[in-house]
């Protein structure tokens, strides 16, 4: 039997060799997989037990998880969870994996929602519920509506809401606005599909495991964004905001689409990498 420390070192070197990771990135992923194989122990537990001997069944389970990662399967799908905006969310292959870039959209929305005023917020294409639940928890007197056209994704979002004990969010099966009826909102947020349908990256690395319908949107990647911008005007209150996540090179195009649709005070927000990631407009 191998010591935990040696198992980590060997697995780290395999990720460096197979996936061209640096040592730090490899160590983070190995610890995440090993923690999961051991029953979701904490990273502190792993550090404290580095000299422990690993039982054969645990080693076999870990090796199976490591093989899946080397084959390219995302860590979030292997472990079934992903941290987002301080929340632990359940993730499955039926949902897009929440990414740090999308936290920019949450922060932009929270900046528009007073803590002492009830806002009506709509999250289009909620997936795991990440955006809706992050807003709901940070603005508990506001009401959040989270919609998705996928029954399986919506079921995961509901589970996450229950696990996090969130009471100010409702979940609706809806293809964008199809089930909203006549309700109006102060803020509409969305991280819609925005990758070009012909982009080769859709069939590479982590993206090839994620639902294509949550990633690609027409020849230029903007089909769904166009639909959302045009239709949202029927569902926004006066002085309501539409806030959209988009691709790294789409800020100017999204700004132009908002302007043509009659939105004002249009601006874009940078993510942690300094990329214009979210574009917002106000409907006067």
């Amino acid at each position: 039997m191998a010591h935990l420390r040696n198992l980590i070192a060997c697995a780290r070197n395999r990720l460096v060799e197979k996936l061209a990771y640096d040592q730090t990135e490899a160590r983070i992923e190995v610890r995440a997989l090993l923690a999961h194989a051991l029953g979701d122990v904490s990273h502190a537990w792993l550090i404290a037990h580095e000299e422990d001997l690993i039982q054969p069944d645990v080693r076999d389970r870990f090796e199976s998880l490591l093989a899946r990662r080397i084959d390219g399967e995302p860590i979030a799908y292997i472990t079934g969870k992903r941290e987002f905006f301080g929340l632990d969310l359940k993730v499955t292959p039926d949902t897009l994996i929440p990414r740090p870039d999308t936290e920019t959209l949450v922060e932009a929305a929270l900046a528009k929602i007073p803590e002492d005023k009830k806002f009506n917020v709509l999250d289009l294409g909620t997936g795991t519920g990440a955006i809706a639940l992050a807003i709901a928890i940070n603005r508990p007197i506001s009401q959040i509506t989270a919609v998705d056209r996928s029954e399986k994704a919506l079921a995961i979002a509901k589970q996450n809401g229950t696990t996090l004990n969130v009471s100010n969010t409702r979940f609706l099966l809806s293809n964008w606005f199809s089930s909203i009826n006549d309700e109006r909102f102060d803020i509409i947020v969305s991280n819609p599909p925005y990758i070009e349908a012909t982009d080769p990256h859709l069939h590479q690395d982590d993206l090839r495991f994620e639902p294509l319908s949550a990633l690609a949107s027409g020849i230029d990647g903007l089909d769904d964004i166009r639909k959302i911008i045009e239709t949202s005007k029927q569902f926004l209150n006066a002085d309501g905001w539409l806030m959209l996540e988009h691709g790294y090179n789409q800020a100017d195009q999204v700004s132009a689409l908002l302007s043509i649709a009659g939105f004002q005070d249009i601006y874009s927000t940078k993510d942690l990498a300094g990329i214009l990631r979210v574009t917002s407009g106000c409907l006067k």
Side-chain angles (χ1 to χ4, degrees):
M1 290 189 292
H3 290 278
L4 184 62
R5 171 173 45 79
N6 294 334
L7 187 63
I8 291 172
C10 291
R12 186 179 66 233
N13 290 336
R14 286 174 64 188
L15 287 185
V16 170
E17 177 186 353
K18 298 291 187 179
L19 301 180
Y21 282 176
D22 60 37
Q23 287 287 335
T24 299
E25 189 175 18
R27 182 172 64 252
I28 290 171
E29 292 208 352
V30 166
R31 289 186 179 277
L33 293 174
L34 189 54
H36 186 60
L38 286 162
D40 291 324
V41 300
S42 69
H43 286 193
W45 189 96
L46 290 177
I47 293 171
H49 292 79
E50 280 193 340
E51 298 305 319
D52 286 9
L53 291 172
I54 297 298
Q55 297 299 318
D57 61 324
V58 174
R59 179 165 186 162
D60 290 345
R61 189 157 58 246
F62 171 69
E63 289 290 345
S64 175
L65 299 177
L66 186 64
R68 290 167 63 186
R69 183 60 189 134
I70 289 173
D71 188 48
E73 187 173 351
I75 286 280
Y77 289 160
I78 296 172
T79 63
K81 60 184 180 181
R82 170 58 67 93
E83 187 273 336
F84 178 84
F85 217 79
L87 309 177
D88 289 324
L89 300 173
K90 180 178 180 178
V91 176
T92 76
D94 295 309
T95 65
L96 194 68
I97 299 169
R99 290 169 167 79
D101 292 346
T102 303
E103 294 187 358
T104 306
L105 179 57
V106 174
E107 291 167 348
L110 292 177
K112 297 293 183 186
I113 306 173
E115 294 186 27
D116 60 350
K117 186 176 179 181
K118 182 179 180 179
F119 266 43
N120 204 18
V121 181
L122 173 63
D123 174 27
L124 294 170
T126 197
T128 60
I131 296 167
L133 295 171
I135 293 173
I137 287 173
N138 284 277
R139 295 295 184 269
I141 68 172
S142 288
Q143 179 63 43
I144 319 300
T145 299
V147 307
D148 205 288
R149 67 181 180 181
S150 165
E151 291 187 24
K152 291 180 178 179
L154 202 66
I156 298 301
K158 289 178 180 178
Q159 280 186 253
N160 283 326
T162 299
T163 301
L164 295 168
N165 197 30
V166 174
S167 60
N168 59 328
T169 300
R170 62 170 178 160
F171 300 92
L172 293 178
L173 185 66
S174 182
N175 186 3
W176 299 134
F177 297 94
S178 64
S179 300
I180 299 300
N181 299 320
D182 297 325
E183 191 169 356
R184 292 194 174 257
F185 300 88
D186 301 297
I187 290 180
I188 297 175
V189 297
S190 184
N191 174 22
Y194 54 71
I195 299 177
E196 297 174 8
T198 56
D199 192 322
H201 293 95
L202 290 169
H203 308 287
Q204 299 172 7
D205 303 323
D206 287 9
L207 291 185
R208 62 193 170 100
F209 289 88
E210 299 188 72
L212 184 62
S213 62
L215 294 168
S217 184
I219 297 300
D220 63 356
L222 295 171
D223 282 4
D224 286 298
I225 285 178
R226 289 189 184 93
K227 294 174 186 176
I228 291 170
I229 290 175
E230 189 56 39
T231 312
S232 67
K233 295 186 290 182
Q234 304 171 35
F235 298 93
L236 276 170
N237 287 323
D239 296 320
W241 285 89
L242 175 61
M243 317 185 87
L244 297 165
E245 179 174 334
H246 50 68
Y248 73 97
N249 60 349
Q250 295 173 330
D252 288 345
Q253 292 167 288
V254 175
S255 294
L257 290 170
L258 285 167
S259 180
I260 291 169
F263 286 83
Q264 301 179 38
D265 301 333
I266 299 165
Y267 70 97
S268 297
T269 306
K270 293 180 179 179
D271 61 21
L272 291 175
I275 295 169
L276 293 174
R277 181 63 61 184
V278 173
T279 296
S280 307
C282 183
L283 190 67
K284 300 291 187 180

